[in-house]
Amino acid sequence: MAVKDRDRFSTATRIRLLGEQTAARVYRSQTRRQARRSRLTGRAAFLALVVCSLVVALAYPMRQYVSQQGEIADQERKAAEAAQRVEELRDEKARLQDPAYVRRLAREHLHYVMPGETGFTVNDPEADRRPRTEQGASDRPWYDNLWDGVDRADRP
């Protein structure tokens, strides 16, 4: 014990203790300074600048690419619709080459009759009682709208 007490109060021991305490203080201050110091280094800032400039440089071409892909898809859809319409018209042309089909269309739409047949046109007696407002006013000619106004004015 006497040796410990003597070492405790010796100059070398005191200097060693002071050195350890000072080293501990310096170490603590360095760790605080490192914690406070920003993590953004020069390299990281340069990398961020390069990435931002790449994003800005590529934003417009990417937007153009996406919009052009949409336009391409729209044009392909229109081309497919046109091809389908062409196919329908080819079928209609092939049907019109058949004389029986042409006769049937003439009978239905033009009210043609074959020689020896009697054609009849049936008028609907209820047609006069029905108002002529089935069509919209904008879909009919102006004189029909005028005449309807005159008819309505005469009604009680």
Side-chain angles (χ1 to χ4, degrees), residues 40-72:
L40 185 65
T41 63
R43 286 182 183 174
F46 182 71
L47 179 64
L49 179 67
V50 168
V51 168
C52 288
S53 60
L54 283 175
V55 166
V56 169
L58 294 177
Y60 184 73
M62 286 303 294
R63 192 179 101 210
Q64 290 296 322
Y65 174 76
V66 169
S67 68
Q68 287 174 357
Q69 289 298 318
E71 289 175 11
I72 289 171

Side-chain angles (χ1 to χ4, degrees), residues 80-149:
E81 288 175 0
Q84 181 182 2
R85 178 72 177 138
V86 165
E87 191 62 34
E88 290 171 2
L89 290 174
R90 282 187 182 145
D91 291 344
E92 181 70 17
K93 181 182 175 185
R95 282 194 301 265
L96 287 173
Q97 300 299 322
D98 183 19
Y101 180 72
V102 173
R103 269 191 236 113
R104 185 176 66 100
L105 287 178
R107 292 172 76 97
E108 286 176 7
H109 296 287
L110 301 175
H111 305 289
Y112 281 13
V113 293
M114 297 301 288
E117 293 179 352
T118 305
F120 293 99
T121 302
V122 179
N123 290 330
D124 186 10
E126 297 293 322
D128 292 338
R129 294 187 193 130
R130 274 186 269 140
R132 293 181 4 184
T133 58
E134 292 171 359
Q135 290 179 328
S138 63
D139 296 337
R140 297 183 307 179
W142 64 271
Y143 49 84
D144 280 345
N145 292 331
L146 178 70
W147 196 251
D148 282 344

Side-chain angles (χ1 to χ4, degrees), residues 30-51:
Q30 284 179 349
T31 57
R32 282 189 205 135
R33 197 174 312 130
Q34 286 176 352
R36 274 187 256 140
R37 192 165 73 181
S38 174
R39 298 274 184 204
L40 185 65
T41 63
R43 286 182 183 174
F46 182 71
L47 179 64
L49 179 67
V50 168
V51 168

